[in-house]
Every structure is written in structure tokens, then in C-alpha cells.
Amino acid sequence: MVSLQQVTKVFENRPAVNNISFTVSAGETFILLGTSGCGKTTTLKMINRLTEATEGTILVNGKNILEQPATILRRNIGYVVQHNTLFPHYSVAENIAVVPNLLLWDKEKTNARINKLIDKLHLSPNLLGVYPGQLSGGEAQRVNLARALVADPPILLMDEPFGALDTITRSAIRKEFAQLDELKRKTIVMVTHDVQEAFEMGSRICLMDKGRIMQTGKPAELLFHPANDFVRDFFSESWLQLCFMVLKLTDVWPFLLNEPASEYANYEEVSPAITLSKAMQLTKEKNEKKTLLVVNDNTTDKKTITGEGILYAFSEYQRNQ
Ligand SMILES: Nc1ncnc2c1ncn2[C@@H]1O[C@H](COP(=O)(O)OP(=O)(O)OP(=O)(O)O)[C@@H](O)[C@H]1O
């Protein structure tokens, strides 16, 4: 658990972060989102005391971070940044082993953990002996993450972790990360200015502007119940796309019409837990025949639905918000 209570950071008489409060529960992925200079990185760095807050209280797992030495605090907090922060004269294996060595793990335990992690992160074992300068951007970022995860810290701070990667690598690595069971158990605070990334990864999003919090909430809350004009305007450009990314068939379930199955030649069995955008993708015509989704699992009634039906259900859902 990470909790900020009325936290302010002043640089040169100017507040970079201005009286912000939020609590991140265990296991949550909490996103700090906003344009350049709004105070996201400063907020993140105050949590592991790379920057000291000017005012306010920060609790990590219920304990005031000022009541323990920064080095001890940081053992429980992994930290991944955008830039390649690997030591250039250490091999990949040596870079990942930095924290285990500090914790005096024996060689066998360290090696077993490193091998497990590189496998999970889809890194070739052949890379363990090479130096960071020989890695691609995507490989370097996977090694950065392995280094942050190696001692299994319960909290992970990530500052634009995919920022230095090209769009395709970025999207692929993001999807891999989202599926890592290592990450699912962690409390994550992540900084991004990429709206799509925020909605794809965040269980809650904190939108900031000029050092202040404009709104904190679940992705759907920000889209359907914006707290003010700033929040509404911030998402207006990609609003529809974000809605389809965020909403699942279960969310619009009462508005989904059950179509007669006999008229359709293509069928696809899907779970009601898929997003509207995934469902729309699956209803694309194949061989000039529309595909019907047969939504079925044990938690809902079975329905047969079409792409048009999903669009209709979305507009009804929107009207009811
Ligand atoms: N060490 C520092 N000394 C003085 N001013 C600073 C310092 N660090 C940050 N600032 C200022 O604080 C404000 C917030 O910076 P911060 O890096 O937290 O923003 P950000 O939202 O993370 O931006 P970006 O997305 O560009 O990284 C900016 O105006 C920045 O210039």
C-alpha cells in the first residue's frame, strides 16, 4: 500500500506538486497521467525518497517513509525508468544480480532467480554474458525490469518504462508485461503521458495538471463521469476508442440483443470478459459473411450477438450513464 497525504514539493519557490493525496491499494496498478511538466516524475520520486517532499506525509505499507533509512525503504520498492540505467561495464547477469549481491544471496539462489526471470521476460540466456551496449532497446528494457523484479519487491515504481521504445516494440512489451504473473501481485505506480497506455494498464488513473490532481478514478469513471472540463477535454480526442478499450461485454450485457443464429455462417465462441474493441474486431466479415459471437461462460446467460448489436448496446449504455 502506498499513500500520499497532502503532499507538496517546491522547487525554487515554485510548487512542482501541489497538495496531492491518493492511496494505492495492494495489487493495484495506479497510473500518474498528464502532460509534460505536470509533476508526475516528482510524485513518483517522492515515494522512494529520490526527492524529499516539502510538505505532507507519505506512507508505504502503513509506515511513514521518513521513519526508515532510504536504503531499507528502497529494498521493498523496485524502480524502472525510461532511460537505460544499466551499468555499462557489468554484463547483463551482473546487472540483474546487483540487488541480490547487496542482500548477500548465495550464487545458486541468484542464478536460479535470474534464469527464471529471463525466461519469463523472453530474454535469451545467451544475452546473460553480453554488455548493455550490445542490447537492443527492447532487450535493455526487459533487463531493466528483470533487475527491478529480481528481489521480488512488493512495490514497483515505473517512470515511462516503455517510453524509449518504438511503437510496435512498445505495444508488444506492454502486452507481455501485463501478462506477467510477477507483476499481477505487485502494487505498481506508473508514470506515463500516453493515454492509451494508461487505459490499457491502469486499474486506476490519476490525471494531473500543473502539480495538482484533476481526477483520480477507474478508467470508466474518467470517461463517463469526468470531474471537470479539463478531464473531459483531455480525453475528448480518443474518447470513443478508449471506451471500447475499457468496457467489456459484461458491462453492456443488459443492452446486448440476442440475435437469431440461423442467418449467420461464421461463429466465434468468446468469453463475456472481452473488451468491446476485441469483440468488434472478431465480428469483422470473413469471406463476406458476418461473424456472430456466441458469448458463453458459466457466469452469464448465453447470447448470440453481432457487431451492430455491440454498437447499439454501447449507445444504450452511454445513455444510461
Ligand atoms: N530538480 C529540480 N529542480 C528544479 N525544478 C525541477 C526539478 N525537477 C523537476 N522540476 C520542475 O518541476 C516540474 C514538474 O516536473 P516533473 O519532472 O515532475 O514533471 P513530469 O510530469 O514528470 O514531466 P515529464 O513528463 O516531462 O517528465 C517541472 O516544471 C520541472 O521543471
Side-chain angles (χ1 to χ4, degrees), residues 188-310:
I188 299 176
V189 185
M190 184 176 120
V191 164
T192 184
H193 63 265
D194 181 328
V195 173
Q196 191 134 347
E197 189 163 288
F199 278 77
E200 202 176 297
M201 301 193 66
S203 30
R204 274 190 310 143
I205 296 171
C206 172
L207 180 62
M208 295 179 69
D209 182 47
K210 300 191 189 85
R212 291 183 187 273
I213 293 178
M214 292 290 110
Q215 187 171 0
T216 304
K218 291 192 174 136
E221 281 166 3
L222 272 71
L223 294 173
F224 292 104
H225 304 288
N228 50 48
D229 286 346
F230 179 88
V231 179
R232 186 176 291 108
D233 292 347
F234 195 87
F235 300 119
S236 63
E237 208 173 290
S238 43
W239 188 82
L240 199 59
Q241 190 196 359
L242 293 173
C243 290
F244 273 63
M245 256 177 72
V246 162
L247 292 177
K248 301 199 160 90
L249 289 177
T250 40
D251 295 316
V252 300
W253 191 256
F255 310 112
L256 278 169
L257 303 176
N258 208 358
E259 300 285 337
S262 55
E263 294 166 27
Y264 296 87
N266 291 325
Y267 293 90
E268 188 99 42
E269 288 245 3
V270 298
S271 144
I274 63 170
T275 62
L276 299 194
S277 75
K278 180 77 189 164
M280 286 304 290
Q281 217 180 335
L282 291 171
T283 61
K284 289 235 173 78
E285 290 183 10
K286 282 182 202 154
N287 309 324
E288 296 176 12
K289 297 262 180 5
K290 290 217 167 97
T291 303
L292 188 74
L293 299 188
V294 181
V295 190
N296 196 8
D297 74 356
N298 296 329
T299 58
T300 46
D301 299 331
K302 180 170 165 170
K303 276 189 187 180
T304 51
I305 60 169
T306 60
E308 286 85 356
I310 296 167

Side-chain angles (χ1 to χ4, degrees), residues 78-80 96 99-100 105 113 117 120-121 142-153 155-156 158 177 180 182-183 186 188:
Y79 185 49
V80 184
I96 304 175
V99 175
W105 286 14
R113 177 70 178 145
L117 263 181
K120 282 187 178 181
L121 290 165
R142 287 180 163 91
V143 176
N144 264 324
L145 193 78
R147 192 173 57 166
L149 291 176
V150 68
D152 204 15
I155 297 167
L156 194 62
M158 303 206 282
F177 278 17
L180 273 181
E182 292 267 346
L183 292 186
K186 297 209 184 294
I188 299 176

